[in-house]
Amino acid sequence: MTTRIDKALIAEQNAKLEGFVKEDYEALGNKLAREDINIDEITAKAAEFQIAVPSWGTGTGGTRFARFPGIGEPRNIWEKLEDSAVINDLSQATERVSPHFPWDKVDDFTELKQFSDELGLKWDSINSNTFQDQKDQTASFKYGSLSNTSQESRDVAIQHNLDCIEWGKTLGSKTLTVWVGDGSNHPGQQHFQHAFERYLESMKKIYAGLPSDWEMHIEHKMFEPAFYSTVIQDWGSNILAAMELGPQAKSLVDLGHHAPNVNIEMIVSRLIQFKKLGGFHFNDSKYGDDDLDSGSLHPYQQFLIFNELVDAEYRKQEGFGPNYMLDQSHNVTDPIESLMNSAASVQRSYVAALLVNRPLLTQYQNENDALMASNTLKHAFNIDVSPILAMARLRKGGAIDPIATYRASGYRKAVAEVRPSNGQSGSGIV
Ligand code: LRH
Ligand code: MN
């Protein structure tokens, strides 16, 4: 049974708001025209914007202390895809889903591909998992995976990544994302260089298994699950590994994997300059890897990141083509609502960055007019682009107000009737 949001309901809900959106759109269009900006060109770009949904984000997340399941939780990849289709039906910006193996592993990947095709969904980056031991695993990842001192553990981790590539080929994915929690909890526990050497030796074996049109995205993280050192702890170790491995290896920036107040937009600029920016895991955080909804705490930082991305597009930067994806944990909200909200938040940062007057910014930068340079960015950030986002969704057959339409659909209640909760609370991010 696949429950989709009825197109008639979307049309009925849109009919209530369409007049207001058109009014606001026209007013904004006039305002932007005064700055020689054609609103329809911006709306067309907004409509092309796509950000992938993490399959694991469609379920309720948790922490090491507890996970409090919501109702109608998706219990497997089939139901996660159904929910992802609802998110895309309403937002029209999330046609790609990123799976995590073995959490989403199935016996028949051709059947899974068929199912996703029927839902109008595509497959984004494949995430391997060598941060948990699987049942009957022959060698543990307790002391690491690709950098473990045990060749046996390294081989198990390498083979898992090669399997992920095979499964991804059947699904039509073109990217493997490798995040490893490898590291240490005590000074002296790990030899930093030897651990990195073992990691690179393992990654070279995985890299050799990449089809020629695939990329490998390396994800760095400051800490957790290791609490003293992490083998790929920051963008420095990340870009060194990507350069060492070859042109198909690039760096992935998960916003929550940096210490508070780190200048992430500058890291993005460096990765762009050296053609090593593979993609993003968008989320927000206040303290650690909180995996909160994108733009919920630091919308200006998110805008500044897109200012670097749009600048690269504007300068036609060679080797530029990053992948956008959400990576969040929804502990207290309906995951579908949070994912729609977050997709729109990231899309908003992109659209606002399109409104930056770049020739003027360059002039102020060359004149060291710091205040006017900063104001040029703030001016674009402060323009309310909501009419553009709503019009882009409306023109693509989506919902002007995705949350209101989703709630009006009663989808969560409907699926709760066919997805009995297992009643267990448990703990952990999924
Ligand atoms: C690690 C991470 C990684 C995923 C996991 C679910 O913190 O960001 O991207 O594999 O979350
Ligand atoms: Mn991530």
Side-chain angles (χ1 to χ4, degrees), residues 56 100 103 127-128 131 177 179 219 221 224 254 257 281 289 291 327 429:
W56 61 95
H100 216 302
W103 293 340
N127 295 271
S128 60
F131 49 87
T177 294
W179 169 68
E219 184 176 2
K221 182 173 180 179
E224 188 205 42
D254 182 314
H257 289 186
H281 281 179
D289 186 20
D291 280 339
D327 180 3
I429 64 165

Side-chain angles (χ1 to χ4, degrees), residues 146 154-164 166-167 206:
L146 298 174
R154 298 203 299 273
D155 289 345
V156 171
I158 292 164
Q159 188 51 51
H160 168 65
N161 278 280
L162 295 173
D163 294 344
C164 284
E166 287 316 306
W167 301 328
I206 300 168

Side-chain angles (χ1 to χ4, degrees), residues 142-208:
K142 178 170 181 174
Y143 297 108
S145 59
L146 298 174
S147 73
N148 195 307
T149 53
S150 141
Q151 183 64 56
E152 229 194 319
S153 294
R154 298 203 299 273
D155 289 345
V156 171
I158 292 164
Q159 188 51 51
H160 168 65
N161 278 280
L162 295 173
D163 294 344
C164 284
I165 293 171
E166 287 316 306
W167 301 328
K169 279 158 61 174
T170 308
L171 296 175
S173 174
K174 294 285 183 206
T175 313
L176 172 72
T177 294
V178 183
W179 169 68
V180 296
D182 296 23
S184 69
N185 280 3
H186 303 273
Q189 175 189 343
Q190 190 167 67
H191 188 290
F192 297 144
Q193 180 170 333
H194 293 161
F196 198 26
E197 285 165 348
R198 291 190 297 268
Y199 169 87
L200 290 171
E201 181 222 310
S202 300
M203 285 290 267
K204 283 179 182 154
K205 293 179 180 162
I206 300 168
Y207 189 94

